[in-house]
Amino acid sequence: MGFFDLSKRADIGRDVREYRATPGALLLDVRTPEEYRSVRIPGNVNVPLQSIADVAGMAGGRATPIFVCCQPGARSCAAARMLRQMGYENVKDIGGVCAYRGALEI
């Protein structure tokens, strides 16, 4: 998949259902606050990519399951890599909100 194909990813609904079925999981939206306010997946937490270190105060520990999303998918990939470098063991990049076909909050 090329960079410009990120917005064409399959529906991330399966990953959102996995997040909801995982006890203690955290769904991080790494978009800017402005993007987050426009539309979001219910139940996620906004931690802009430049503030990813703030996750340490939110996650219960390094084994906490963390699902990461953004707008088209590029920032979530970067955030997942950074979280793994920070020692988080259970990180999943689910891609972009624009590829979600479920109910969104506005």
Side-chain angles (χ1 to χ4, degrees):
M1 177 182 339
F3 177 77
F4 293 103
D5 294 325
L6 288 173
S7 65
K8 298 177 186 172
R9 290 179 71 166
D11 178 19
I12 64 170
R14 186 181 83 209
D15 294 317
V16 173
R17 288 188 297 276
E18 181 184 348
Y19 148 71
R20 290 185 178 137
T22 304
L26 187 60
L27 176 57
L28 297 181
D29 186 325
V30 296
R31 297 178 296 157
T32 66
E34 294 78 24
E35 290 171 310
Y36 180 78
R37 280 192 296 271
S38 69
V39 64
R40 61 198 161 277
I41 297 171
N44 69 7
V45 176
N46 183 226
V47 178
L49 181 59
Q50 64 272 18
S51 302
I52 200 69
D54 294 346
V55 170
M58 298 175 182
R62 302 281 187 224
T64 298
I66 302 175
F67 294 76
V68 187
C69 66
C70 64
Q71 188 68 25
R75 285 175 282 181
S76 62
C77 180
R81 184 175 53 252
M82 294 165 89
L83 288 164
R84 288 184 195 104
Q85 290 172 348
M86 292 167 56
Y88 290 94
E89 306 161 3
N90 197 359
V91 179
K92 184 171 186 176
D93 169 17
I94 67 170
V97 173
C98 63
Y100 183 58
R101 306 291 178 257
L104 294 168
E105 293 179 336
I106 298 175

